[in-house]
Amino acid sequence: MAERRTRNGTAGGPTRGPTGSSGPVEAVAAFLGRAGWRRAVLVRRCLAGALGAVAVVLALSPADGQGAEVVVAARDLAPGSVVAPADLTVTTWPVELVPAGAVDAAAAEGRVLAGALRAGEPVTDLRLAGNLLAAAATGIPDAAAVPVRLADPDVVALLTPGVRVDVVAAAPEGGEPTVLADSAVVLTVLEPGGTSAGSSPRGRSALVALPRALAARVAAASLTDQVAVTLR
């Protein structure tokens, strides 16, 4: 009888179900093992995400010795403004974000802005009136920037950066006008005294880019004669 009970599984040794699985204790242990594995995978994924976020923050933040000082506008500046020391401030940017052509304070002070600058925007060479901007606007390597006093105040509203004009000098006693330079490129419109607001259109000057061979001729005529510009 004792031998028969042992063979039927009613005595001695663990009882297994019809599928050959272990009893309840073993099933619970297996479940906990699978749950622990899932938690481990979740923890690893969370750690990977956190490390990725930290890498992005470190990439966008200047590390010690890897930041660059950049001269930016201390306030909003209008085109035609003469840059003063109080208009500039220095901040630190990541090296890879510093724009090409960024200039230092010494190169910007006293220069005329050909375009508006927002506060915090870097000052670059092509925002300043000069030979580099003239060459970029005309496509002529030796181009020069020349201010032309406008005899007609109504033409001021028609002049925007990039517009091409002919510079014309009026002939004395009603003679034929003389074309001093054709296809000059307007860089900006200047206010009397280098200010950008609060003045009348009369007395304004247009800063134009043209070949250097014509620059002296136009500059001299603008000082002594009535000079006008005609849109092409």
Side-chain angles (χ1 to χ4, degrees):
M1 292 292 291
E3 183 180 359
R4 187 178 297 115
R5 282 196 302 271
T6 302
R7 290 176 180 176
N8 291 338
T10 57
T15 303
R16 298 182 180 271
T19 59
S21 59
S22 301
V25 175
E26 288 77 5
V28 171
F31 174 80
L32 293 178
R34 289 194 297 270
W37 178 80
R38 290 170 183 164
R39 285 196 298 270
V41 171
L42 181 60
V43 169
R44 285 197 296 267
R45 289 177 178 174
C46 291
L47 287 175
L51 291 175
V54 171
V56 171
V57 172
L58 292 177
L60 296 178
S61 301
D64 294 339
Q66 295 183 355
E69 290 188 345
V70 180
V71 175
V72 302
R75 58 186 181 87
D76 291 349
L77 301 175
S81 303
V82 177
V83 180
D87 296 329
L88 305 175
T89 188
V90 179
T91 186
T92 301
W93 281 31
V95 174
E96 62 274 14
L97 297 183
V98 177
V103 300
D104 58 20
E109 291 174 7
R111 301 280 297 278
V112 174
L113 283 178
L117 277 179
R118 282 289 192 185
E121 186 175 351
V123 183
T124 61
D125 50 5
L126 293 185
R127 287 299 182 93
L128 302 171
N131 295 344
L132 286 176
L133 178 59
T138 61
I140 303 173
D142 67 340
V146 179
V148 177
R149 290 189 300 173
L150 302 176
D152 184 0
D154 295 331
V155 78
V156 172
L158 305 177
L159 299 181
T160 56
V163 170
R164 289 187 176 269
V165 297
D166 294 336
V167 183
V168 182
E173 300 179 358
E176 288 294 324
T178 302
V179 177
L180 301 175
D182 60 354
S183 195
V185 180
V186 175
L187 299 178
T188 191
V189 175
L190 308 175
E191 300 286 348
T195 58
S196 58
S199 61
S200 64
R202 187 177 302 277
R204 287 183 178 179
S205 299
L207 190 67
V208 299
L210 39 71
R212 186 172 296 278
L214 301 175
R217 180 184 181 188
V218 171
S222 181
L223 291 175
T224 59
D225 302 326
Q226 274 197 328
V227 177
V229 294
T230 59
L231 279 70
R232 295 182 66 84

